[in-house]
Amino acid sequence: MATKGYNSYRGRLSAGKKLLTVLLVLVLLGSAVFLLGQDYLVYDGAGNVRLELPFLDFFRNEEDSETGDLGDVDLTIEEPQRPTIDLLQAQELPSDVLNGDIQAKLASLPETVVIQIKQTDGSLTYHPTFVTAKGVRTGDAMTTANLKAILESDRYTVARISCFADMAFAKADMVGASLQRDDKWLWYDDYASCWTDPAKDATREYLQKICAECVEMGFDEILLDQFSYPVKGRLDRILNVGSIDKTAELTEVLASLRQQLPKITGLSVVLRYNEPEKTGLTMELLQQFDRIYVDTGTVDMAKLAGQLPAGFDQTTRLVAMVRTAPASGSYMLVQ
């Protein structure tokens, strides 16, 4: 028989006591964790707090090493400061190459090609994305699409640009861009062509736009043709001719292009005269270009080679513009 006050549940706690015991244990554990975790509490600049435990960092680093994530490790990647200049065996494409079905022509094109982008009359062989001046003729959607097809065909491509011999832009902006006569009118050379003035901002900005767009389209190298002051015609009639420092102006234009274009883009020049100093192109300035393309029909290439310093790699940086490929050296077959 059961005794009063002492039944079969003897020795067991009531539900209320159980709950109280659990709460006390949790409070004790929480206090212990709080005290031990003080060294691992991190506050950010906004006052927010987070817990950083050493063993979590270990597992995080293990995971990062497997995924390749380097976290906050600072990596310094050095950008190439100049393009790679190798032996060049190029061919200038005919003026009508951008017309018609380009896919039928692609297979027969050489591995290194030179494409005329801006001609001496000021016309552009493609349709630019920027607004051109009134009177400047441009290519259409077809020629632009054909040009992009060549650029995407894994060839080494060179954009040939007539810089300051430019009929269209000079006439479109006589005051802001053209090389003027002493009476403030357009100056013409012996071939009845007018020029833009390398010293004027509008001239420089226009050249920069064209070069930048050529790089954006995918050209590997920019070839600056007519990058000089004129030498044929009544030079004494050019406005303020006595105060023009031709070399200084051309050096500034080259420096601005170097600053604007990617460092891996080749920037080269065409040399047309035996006495380049008359055009503003001194030997020192010529050597600042990646390549010198020599018009062998008007320039004594052997004499030029003798004037270049010993450290100038003539095999790769001196390009003969010829109609028949030479036995050695770099060359460009012209039309």
Side-chain angles (χ1 to χ4, degrees), residues 38 127 162 176 193 204 234-235 260 280 296-297 314 316 319:
Q38 290 297 308
H127 190 75
S162 177
S193 297
R204 297 183 180 188
R234 290 290 305 275
L235 304 179
Q260 176 199 32
T296 56
Q314 297 187 20
T316 60
V319 182

Side-chain angles (χ1 to χ4, degrees), residues 26 90 137 183 262 268 297 314 322:
L26 290 176
R137 292 187 296 107
D183 61 1
S268 304
Q314 297 187 20
V322 294

